[in-house]
């Protein structure tokens, strides 16, 4: 198949492109290189089935493809809050452009949505039937509401125009090729520890997240794309839940360091808890994560040791 991956030079996108090429597909990797890097896909450039396209999804695009994975959107709070209006445009106008393309060329299209659609959740763990608790006017809203609107667009193009859509809700995913200055917690802690700096804990570190290794996520994404008669939304994440303080302790233990922390203010609207209920992914996709946090951190630390 010919497959378009938007945001393909980013962290998750580059791993997805790799897997799609390994499965003998042809891949068009589209990116505006805001948080993506050409280096992330440099090892794929020699593959005749791989094409790298500099393009912004806010502008319309015409390519003939069989499948579209829409990953274009900065994912780290630091980056999506840098230009919030652009973040909204990326999710909303980008989705409209790509859904229009999918309709025109009859491609199946998958949206990389997020656990952020649940906001600061009152239901725990989060199931797909929960509508969420999201602030529409806060500093995270450009991302959360952009992704929620994108989900609405996907469902309406499906109902109104019969577009073959899929929605996945990704929970915190980490691994090699996150940017060293990405700002998300796993890369921040590893880079800080490797530089001998204090690990920055926002708030008291009592808030929780559930961390999924990137290879597990990519497997789930491909299963969702290639499953018929199930359009989602479906949660993809690792249900093992940790406090941020527990994560900091684990990272420093792995590097044989004493605990060395500094506490910073908790950003506003920072969700207090997050854990995916993955019953639906298990039953519909026969998917569950296989790499636990300890093993995933080992691989990620090894990567950052090579670049920091
Ligand atoms: P990332 O920032 O590494 O990747 C995003 C990619 O999209 C980058 O390559 C960036 O340059 C590109 N991009 C941004 N705006 C664009 C635009 N207007 N046009 C074209 N390209 C654009 O982040 P990631 O972690 O790889 O996330 C990939 C997708 O998965 C995102 O849509 C994100 O919202 C979603 N997601 C990720 C996580 C996670 O924990 N990693 C969790 C939930 C959802
Ligand atoms: N966080 C932290 N120190 C950091 C970066 C993040 O304590 O250096 C916290 C952040 O406040 C949040 C959690 O870690 O509670 C996860 O943050 P991240 O930005 O990785 O993802 P998100 O908040 O979008 O889940």
């Amino acid at each position: 198949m010919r497959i378009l991956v938007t945001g393909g030079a980013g962290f998750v996108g580059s791993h997805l492109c790799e897997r799609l090429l390994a499965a003998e597909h042809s891949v068009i990797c589209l990116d505006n290189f805001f948080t993506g890097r050409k280096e992330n896909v440099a090892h794929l450039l020699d593959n005749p089935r791989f094409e790298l396209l500099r393009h912004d999804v806010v502008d319309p695009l015409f390519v003939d493809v069989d499948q579209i994975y829409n990953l274009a959107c900065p994912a780290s709070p630091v980056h999506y809050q840098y230009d919030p209006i652009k973040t909204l445009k990326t999710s909303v106008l980008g989705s409209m452009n790509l859904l229009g393309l999918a309709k025109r060329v009859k491609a199946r299209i998958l949206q990389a949505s997020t656990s952020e659609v649940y906001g600061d959740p009152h239901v725990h763990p989060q199931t797909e039937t929960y509508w969420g608790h999201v602030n529409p006017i806060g500093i995270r809203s450009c991302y959360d509401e952009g992704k929620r609107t994108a989900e609405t667009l996907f469902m309406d193009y499906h109902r109104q125009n019969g577009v073959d859509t899929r929605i996945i809700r990704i929970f915190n995913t980490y691994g090699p090729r996150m940017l060293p200055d990405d700002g998300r917690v796993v890369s921040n802690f590893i880079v800080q520890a490797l530089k001998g700096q204090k690990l920055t804990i926002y708030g008291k570190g009592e808030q929780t997240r559930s961390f999924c290794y990137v290879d597990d996520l990519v497997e789930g994404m491909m299963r969702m794309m290639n499953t018929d008669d199930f359009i989602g939304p479906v949660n993809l994440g690792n249900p093992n839940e940790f406090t941020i303080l527990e994560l900091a302790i684990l990272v420093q233990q792995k590097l044989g360091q004493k605990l060395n922390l500094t506490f910073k203010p908790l950003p506003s609207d920072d969700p207090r808890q997050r854990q995916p209920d993955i019953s639906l992914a298990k039953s519909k996709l026969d998917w569950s994560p296989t790499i636990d946090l300890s093993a995933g951190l080992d691989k990620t630390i090894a990567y950052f040791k090579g670049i920091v």
Side-chain angles (χ1 to χ4, degrees):
M1 277 187 280
R2 273 169 67 82
I3 302 180
L4 172 66
V5 180
T6 75
F11 156 54
V12 174
S14 61
H15 289 272
L16 176 63
C17 288
E18 237 171 39
R19 284 285 304 275
L20 293 172
L21 288 171
E24 304 290 319
H25 297 297
S26 295
V27 173
I28 301 174
C29 168
L30 176 157
D31 211 293
N32 73 347
F33 300 109
F34 175 47
T35 51
R37 295 286 172 267
K38 203 172 170 186
E39 300 86 81
N40 286 345
V41 291
H43 60 298
L44 308 177
L45 290 172
D46 285 342
N47 188 322
R49 285 181 283 105
F50 183 78
E51 224 177 311
L52 182 58
L53 186 63
R54 179 187 283 271
H55 183 84
D56 197 305
V57 292
V58 162
D59 299 317
L61 168 80
F62 300 99
V63 286
D64 202 359
V65 289
D66 304 299
Q67 292 185 340
I68 303 168
Y69 288 86
N70 185 27
L71 276 62
C73 185
S76 161
V78 177
H79 291 124
Y80 69 65
Q81 288 165 19
Y82 170 76
D83 185 349
I85 297 171
K86 179 63 194 272
T87 301
L88 263 168
K89 283 186 183 172
T90 295
S91 277
V92 178
L93 299 180
S95 294
M96 290 177 85
N97 285 329
L98 293 160
L99 284 160
L101 174 67
K103 179 182 165 189
R104 182 172 171 158
V105 301
K106 297 191 169 39
R108 182 173 286 182
I109 178 166
L110 178 144
Q111 167 66 358
S113 189
T114 168
S115 53
E116 287 286 319
V117 300
Y118 302 122
D120 188 12
H122 289 167
V123 168
H124 194 76
Q126 292 79 56
T127 54
E128 291 84 352
T129 50
Y130 178 48
W131 290 354
H133 177 235
V134 177
N135 177 359
I137 56 168
I139 57 169
R140 295 176 85 100
S141 312
C142 61
Y143 184 73
D144 301 9
E145 298 290 20
K147 290 284 188 178
R148 284 169 67 96
T149 306
E151 287 201 9
T152 307
L153 284 165
F154 269 69
M155 292 308 298
D156 284 335
Y157 269 80
H158 176 72
R159 282 187 289 254
Q160 195 175 329
N161 292 326
V163 175
D164 191 8
T165 56
R166 299 284 181 280
I167 298 172
I168 56 168
R169 293 183 178 153
I170 304 171
F171 285 64
N172 297 65
T173 299
Y174 67 97
R177 301 202 200 114
M178 296 181 92
L179 292 174
D181 63 351
D182 178 88
R184 283 178 279 186
V185 67
V186 175
S187 46
N188 265 13
F189 283 179
I190 293 175
V191 171
Q192 288 162 348
L194 288 175
K195 288 183 172 171
Q197 298 168 346
K198 292 179 192 297
L199 273 53
T200 51
I201 307 276
Y202 301 162
K204 292 182 184 157
E206 288 167 352
Q207 69 273 35
T208 68
R209 294 294 187 272
S210 306
F211 299 101
C212 182
Y213 188 68
V214 62
D215 290 357
D216 281 331
L217 172 69
V218 168
E219 177 65 30
M221 295 175 92
M222 290 172 63
R223 286 193 192 203
M224 182 59 176
M225 179 62 108
N226 296 301
T227 296
D228 293 327
D229 306 320
F230 174 56
I231 67 166
V234 66
N235 290 338
L236 293 180
N238 191 322
N240 289 324
E241 186 179 1
F242 296 85
T243 66
I244 295 307
L245 206 50
E246 285 171 335
L247 177 70
I249 292 167
L250 190 56
V251 168
Q252 296 215 293
Q253 270 175 354
K254 285 199 172 286
L255 291 168
Q257 299 177 346
K258 279 194 289 186
L259 203 54
N260 188 16
L261 309 175
T262 178
F263 289 84
K264 305 255 173 166
L266 188 67
S268 65
D269 297 335
D270 199 290
R272 275 162 294 179
Q273 54 181 0
R274 190 181 282 157
Q275 185 194 32
D277 180 319
I278 60 165
S279 316
L280 196 60
K282 280 184 182 161
S283 69
K284 295 284 189 183
L285 310 176
D286 191 23
W287 177 87
S288 49
T290 57
I291 301 158
D292 67 17
L293 182 60
S294 176
L297 281 179
D298 288 342
K299 291 170 194 273
T300 312
I301 289 169
Y303 168 78
F304 278 109
K305 274 185 175 163
I307 63 160
V308 172

